[in-house]
């Protein structure tokens, strides 16, 4: 997906409020936007929270329902640098095409991971005949040492999944207990989906060296005395050994975490850079049609123009 209601985000987590201890959380309310014709709720980045580990962008797309004959989502050709786009599909099917020549349909329960590195372009569109679309798309900032890594695309059709105590877990990236996801990452990260059809109270071991956030995809959860609503992000900070939470019946939650990326990150439009110059160069290259981004074969739409830096 593409950042269409862009705002500049310059800086690092060092500029954000500290959240310490078991009882403290930072709540982030969603901003509503539209991407490719469907509504999204966005909670990262915001001024008061730029990163969780290397996770630097979080859009919750839909759920959106389409009448028969409606086209669904369509995001035209656009570029990325310096990040991985990470798509977790909950309902519907989306076709990904990129300038390396990949064509991949993503279905519920699957992850698409596009490592942009030095530069790539892609399109995303609903597969015809889909009545519903529901997905989370996140971006993972590449560490400075890997920002120019060659672009690649990986599809993960099956991920570690298990049920315990009334909760269905799917491990999307990283490891948890004895489970290990195959997902390519460039820094220590965790992504896990928790779904509880009937509701549950649970405790999970955490890594004290990771910072974490809980995003509510469906329903609601309780963290101690705090109720966290659908589309809200609860940032949990560092130095927690354990997390205890209550999921309401039908709740679905995304737990994201990672070692703090202690680097200054610049986000503008669909680019993540480590300097303003990284971004300015990418904008100039895209608008000039440079070979850096290639071309998405079979895409007849106009490429999305890049907005100028403020
Ligand atoms: Mn995109």
């Amino acid at each position: 997906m593409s950042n269409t209601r862009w705002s500049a985000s310059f800086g690092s987590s060092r500029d954000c409020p500290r959240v310490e201890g078991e009882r403290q959380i930072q709540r982030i309310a969603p901003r509503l936007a539209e991407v490719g014709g469907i509504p999204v709720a966005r909670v990262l980045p915001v001024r008061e929270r730029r990163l969780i580990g290397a996770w630097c962008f979080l859009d919750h797309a839909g759920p959106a329902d389409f009448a028969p004959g409606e086209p669904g989502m369509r995001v035209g050709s656009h570029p990325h640098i310096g990040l991985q786009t990470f798509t977790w599909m909950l309902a519907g099917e989306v076709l990904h095409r990129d300038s390396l020549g990949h064509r991949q349909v993503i279905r519920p329960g699957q992850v698409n991971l596009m490592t942009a590195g030095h530069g790539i372009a892609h399109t995303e569109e609903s597969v015809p005949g889909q009545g519903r679309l529901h997905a989370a798309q996140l971006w993972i900032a590449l560490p400075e040492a890997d920002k120019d890594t060659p672009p690649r695309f990986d599809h993960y059709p099956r991920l570690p999944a298990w049920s315990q105590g009334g909760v269905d877990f799917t491990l999307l990236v990283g490891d948890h207990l004895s489970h290990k996801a195959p997902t390519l990452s460039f820094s220590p990260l965790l992504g896990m989906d928790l779904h509880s059809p009937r509701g549950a109270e649970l405790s999970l071991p955490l890594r004290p060296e990771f910072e974490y956030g809980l995003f509510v995809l469906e329903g609601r959860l309780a963290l101690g005395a705090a109720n966290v609503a659908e589309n809200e992000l609860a940032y949990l900070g560092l130095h927690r050994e354990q997390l205890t939470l209550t999921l309401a019946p039908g709740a679905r939650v995304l737990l994201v975490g990672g070692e703090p990326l202690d680097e200054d990150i610049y986000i503008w439009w669909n680019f993540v850079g480590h300097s303003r110059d990284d971004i300015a160069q990418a904008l100039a290259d895209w608008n000039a049609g440079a070979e850096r981004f290639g071309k998405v074969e079979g895409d007849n739409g106009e490429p999305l123009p890049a907005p100028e830096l403020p």
Side-chain angles (χ1 to χ4, degrees):
M1 285 159 216
S2 168
N3 188 2
T4 48
R5 192 180 158 196
W6 50 84
S7 54
S9 171
F10 294 158
S12 76
S13 281
R14 293 188 294 272
D15 311 329
C16 297
R18 286 176 75 82
V19 172
E20 288 282 350
E22 295 287 326
R23 293 175 185 279
Q24 210 187 343
I25 63 170
Q26 179 189 26
R27 306 170 70 128
I28 294 163
R31 291 159 299 147
L32 303 179
E34 197 206 276
V35 173
I38 59 164
V40 301
R42 181 168 299 163
V43 289
L44 283 181
V46 292
R47 195 181 317 126
E48 63 273 24
R49 186 56 48 201
R50 299 181 200 282
L51 291 155
I52 301 175
W55 300 101
C56 63
F57 182 93
L58 198 172
D59 259 9
H60 179 206
D65 291 304
F66 312 123
E70 273 192 288
M73 184 185 78
R74 188 184 147 74
V75 182
S77 180
H78 63 279
H80 289 285
I81 64 161
L83 57 81
Q84 294 175 291
T85 63
F86 175 101
T87 307
W88 168 232
M89 208 67 201
L90 296 168
E93 297 183 1
V94 167
L95 172 65
H96 159 95
R97 290 184 293 179
D98 65 43
S99 50
L100 297 176
H102 296 100
R103 290 176 65 91
Q104 179 67 54
V105 172
I106 181 173
R107 300 189 167 89
Q110 302 182 338
V111 162
N112 271 1
L113 182 72
M114 186 177 77
T115 302
H118 186 64
I120 196 168
H122 74 149
T123 64
E124 291 162 293
E125 60 206 285
S126 292
V127 172
Q130 300 295 308
R132 173 164 264 226
L133 191 147
H134 189 194
Q137 191 177 76
L138 297 93
W139 297 352
I140 303 162
L142 292 173
E144 188 156 22
D146 299 304
K147 68 175 185 169
D148 284 316
T149 198
R152 60 182 279 172
F153 174 80
D154 294 277
H155 174 67
Y156 299 100
R158 274 175 300 281
L159 294 149
W162 68 98
S163 298
Q164 196 184 341
V167 181
D168 303 324
F169 296 86
T170 311
L171 185 62
L172 309 178
V173 55
D175 50 75
H176 183 75
L177 302 172
S178 61
H179 307 280
K180 191 168 172 42
T183 317
L184 174 71
S185 62
F186 291 80
S187 61
L189 274 188
L190 177 79
M192 191 158 67
D193 182 277
L194 290 69
H195 180 223
S196 184
R198 294 182 183 172
E201 190 178 323
L202 69 152
S203 284
L204 300 173
L206 299 183
R207 292 177 188 237
E209 71 275 22
F210 273 27
E211 54 183 339
Y212 290 94
L214 274 167
F215 179 75
V216 183
L217 289 161
E218 291 178 293
R220 64 189 165 78
L221 66 85
L223 272 170
N227 281 296
V228 185
E230 196 162 281
N231 283 329
E232 234 188 316
L233 174 71
Y235 173 73
L236 307 175
L238 281 160
H239 308 319
R240 285 181 192 249
E241 309 253 344
Q242 186 172 285
L243 171 64
T244 300
L245 72 159
T246 305
L247 297 176
R252 184 185 287 277
V253 168
L254 194 57
L255 175 65
V256 293
E259 273 182 28
L261 192 67
D262 197 21
E263 298 178 355
D264 283 321
I265 295 293
Y266 292 73
I267 302 179
W268 174 246
W269 195 44
N270 296 303
F271 301 134
V272 171
H274 284 76
S275 68
R276 202 186 146 90
D277 285 351
D278 284 351
I279 305 280
Q281 188 63 53
L283 286 170
D285 289 345
W286 175 252
N287 286 336
E291 221 168 272
R292 173 177 185 176
F293 295 106
K295 187 170 170 10
V296 181
E297 282 304 322
D299 180 54
N300 301 317
E302 282 293 301
L304 301 178
E308 277 183 40
L309 264 174

